[in-house]
């Protein structure tokens, strides 16, 4: 009879899992037994945090669950940062870890990788279950995938004691199908939208995957669509699109002018809506708010709270609202022009940094741009219209984990093997997670690692100066990029911060991963 470890692999495959990101250890050997001969592809990271970021990037691009295998203790602790980023951005990842044998748990015996209570450490962050008996495996897997597929997505954790993994386990039954969210009563919402003079839509990450429904509803309501970072690209080039941060005054002016706000799949978080912490976000308590999560809906005042899947709600509203006159495109155009002009007022260098990101789009249409916390990404988060829905994402909002880019780019490239993938990362962020470049080499992934090298934590230095604090700790020495690229077996190019030079470099043929360094004068 097969073991729990082998049946677990079968259960993952039966639920559509195709890739597992992991680093094997003595506490997960039995989980790996079933991988041999299975349909699952195993990708070896260089750090467990990278496993989590890879699972995150894979999930964002594929629309499937990203899965990571990690050891107990330090392995799971290393993954926590990535799990918290997935939580903040509503990305479904499943982390399966080992834990020490059942009779040792909580006893402080000094076992290898022992924690006082591993599950208790995870529980405040996300749902977690301990698989304590072989016969519980089907129910635990069904529970995990129900958590991942219903309500607000995010990380889920399963821990398996080392003495449970090798137990004999009968064949698993077919997976249960998670229940779909019910559609709320939309009568009052449709009435309010039909009666409003001007409508503005605030679209967040919950609108991802529903581009057609969002565009159709926006067109019928003649409503400009303001997109947070996690929704960028969803209406590229459309007359009604406003691909700009709600932290900008031009966008706030558009919101103030609206007779009705329709907020779809956005948590209204400060890193999108009040990045500069100036308190200037308008009162939107009269909004109609759509979100999959009841808890999230309760966090902000709203005239109407609609708990449901964004795509289903938008599709249903489309049949209930009346067409409005064509003024929305003009309002959106005014907001776009003013928002872009506002960048130079914030920082004279910001327009040039934005042009770096736009050069990627010009050179590599329909590319996936996976960003880290670095200056061009900050600029693009304020204003940038990507040409692929779901094709621009980063960790510079919300939880804000530095070092996200390299691992997430590996996951994205595996999820979309025919797409061009660009990891846009700073010299500081690269040193958080440089090992994952070797994973890209091992897997033969055509990722461009584009390193913005200003030899500093420049954004933090600026914040210190702005606060009147002496700048300390913000100039860690960068890697010698050419030598590092050579050590990673990557083709290497160095450029000045010139969009035209970058466009030419990106257009060069590529068969595997490569590094392009942009050397920024201090």
């Amino acid at each position: 009879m097969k073991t729990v470890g082998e049946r677990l692999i079968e259960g993952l495959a039966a639920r559509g899992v195709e890739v597992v990101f992991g680093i094997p250890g003595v506490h997960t050997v039995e989980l790996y037994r079933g991988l041999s001969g299975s349909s699952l592809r195993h990708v070896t990271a260089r750090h467990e945090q990278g496993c989590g970021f890879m699972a995150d990037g894979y999930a964002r691009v594929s629309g499937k669950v990203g899965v990571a295998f990690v050891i107990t203790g330090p392995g799971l602790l290393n993954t926590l940062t990535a799990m918290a980023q997935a939580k903040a951005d509503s990305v479904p990842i499943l982390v399966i870890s080992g834990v020490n044998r059942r009779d040792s748990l909580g006893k402080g015996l000094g076992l290898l990788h022992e924690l006082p209570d591993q599950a208790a450490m995870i529980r405040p962050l996300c749902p977690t279950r301990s698989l304590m008996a072989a016969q519980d495996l089907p129910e635990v897997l069904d529970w995990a995938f129900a958590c991942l597929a219903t309500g607000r997505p995010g990380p889920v954790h399963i821990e398996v004691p080392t003495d449970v993994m090798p137990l004999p386990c009968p064949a698993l039954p077919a997976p249960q199908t998670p229940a779909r969210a019910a559609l709320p009563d939309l009568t009052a919402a449709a009435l309010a939208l039909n009666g409003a003079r001007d409508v503005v839509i605030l679209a967040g990450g919950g609108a991802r995957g529903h581009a057609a429904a969002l565009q159709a509803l926006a067109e019928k309501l003649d409503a400009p669509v303001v997109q947070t970072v996690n929704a960028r690209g969803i209406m590229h080039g459309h007359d009604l699109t406003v691909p700009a941060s709600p932290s900008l005054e031009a966008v706030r002016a558009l919101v103030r002018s609206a007779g009705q706000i329709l907020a779809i799949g956005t948590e209204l978080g400060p890193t999108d809506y009040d990045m500069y912490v100036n308190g200037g976000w308008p009162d939107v308590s009269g909004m109609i708010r759509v979100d999959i999560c009841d808890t999230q809906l309760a966090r902000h005042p709203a005239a109407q709270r609609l708990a449901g899947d964004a795509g289903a709600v938008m599709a249903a509203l489309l049949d209930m609202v009346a067409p409005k006159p064509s003024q929305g495109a003009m309002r959106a155009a005014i907001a776009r022009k003013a928002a872009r002009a506002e960048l130079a007022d914030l920082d004279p260098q910001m327009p040039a940094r934005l042009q770096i990101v736009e050069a990627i789009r010009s050179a590599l249409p329909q590319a996936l741009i996976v960003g880290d916390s670095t200056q061009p990404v900050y600029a693009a988060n304020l204003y940038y219209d990507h040409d692929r829905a779901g094709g621009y994402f980063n960790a510079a909002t919300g939880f804000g984990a530095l070092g996200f880019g390299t691992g997430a780019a590996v996951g994205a490239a595996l999820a979309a093997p025919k797409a061009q993938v660009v990891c846009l990362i700073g010299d500081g962020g690269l040193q958080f997670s440089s090992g994952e470049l070797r994973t890209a080499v091992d897997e033969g992934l055509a990722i461009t690692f584009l390193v913005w090298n200003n030899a500093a934590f420049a954004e933090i230095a600026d914040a210190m100066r702005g606060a009147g604090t002496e700048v300390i700790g913000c100039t860690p020495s960068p890697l010698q990029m050419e030598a590092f690229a050579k050590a990673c077996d990557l083709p290497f190019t160095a450029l000045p911060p010139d969009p035209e030079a970058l466009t030419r470099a990106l257009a060069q043929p590529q068969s595997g991963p490569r590094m392009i360094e942009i050397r920024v004068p201090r």
Side-chain angles (χ1 to χ4, degrees), residues 143-342:
W143 164 83
F145 279 82
C147 290
L148 292 159
T150 56
R152 183 180 180 180
V156 174
H157 171 243
I158 297 172
E159 64 177 13
V160 188
T162 53
D163 62 328
V164 171
M165 295 179 196
L167 292 177
C169 184
L172 304 184
Q176 292 184 357
T177 303
R180 291 189 175 185
L183 193 67
D185 184 354
L186 303 177
T187 306
L191 186 64
L193 290 168
N194 285 331
R197 170 180 43 82
D198 295 312
V199 176
V200 169
I201 296 174
L202 306 177
R208 284 187 310 232
H210 306 298
L214 177 62
Q215 181 172 319
L217 183 61
E219 289 173 349
K220 198 165 185 183
L221 291 171
D222 190 41
V225 181
V226 177
Q227 297 136 52
T228 67
V229 171
N230 280 329
R232 295 291 173 82
I234 202 166
M235 285 178 60
H236 173 67
H238 196 283
D239 286 346
L240 291 170
T241 199
V242 183
S245 171
S247 295
L248 297 175
E249 178 54 35
V251 178
R252 293 174 170 188
L254 174 66
V255 172
R256 288 190 199 97
S257 72
Q260 180 65 62
I261 300 296
L262 174 60
I264 301 173
T266 174
E267 68 176 353
L268 301 168
T271 54
D272 276 307
Y273 289 84
D274 196 15
M275 179 178 175
Y276 296 102
V277 199
N278 59 21
W281 177 244
D283 178 8
V284 293
S285 58
M287 67 181 163
I288 300 167
R289 191 171 182 213
V290 180
D291 202 279
I292 196 69
C293 177
D294 286 319
T295 304
Q296 182 59 245
L297 283 171
R299 288 178 178 146
H300 294 279
Q304 296 187 46
R305 298 184 178 97
L306 304 176
D309 174 77
V313 169
M314 288 189 289
L317 278 175
L318 188 61
D319 295 328
M320 302 174 70
V321 297
K324 291 187 180 293
S326 299
Q327 297 176 339
M330 179 183 68
R331 293 158 57 216
I334 292 171
R336 286 196 302 269
K337 182 178 180 180
R340 178 143 193 162
E342 202 173 324

Side-chain angles (χ1 to χ4, degrees), residues 353-370 376-377 384 386-387 392 420-425 448 450 499 502-503 506-507 518:
R353 295 168 190 160
L354 173 59
Q355 289 172 7
I356 293 295
V357 183
E358 292 176 331
I360 301 172
R361 184 184 63 196
S362 297
L364 304 175
Q366 294 288 302
L368 298 168
I369 302 180
V370 183
V377 170
Y384 175 64
H386 196 54
D387 61 354
Y392 173 82
Q420 295 274 0
V421 178
V422 177
C423 171
L424 179 52
I425 190 166
T448 298
L450 181 58
L502 177 59
T503 299
L506 289 170
I518 299 179

Side-chain angles (χ1 to χ4, degrees), residues 52-73:
F53 287 149
M54 289 176 189
D56 180 308
Y58 178 87
R60 294 191 201 223
V61 174
S62 70
K64 300 178 181 179
V65 174
V67 179
F69 278 5
V70 298
I71 64 167
T72 187

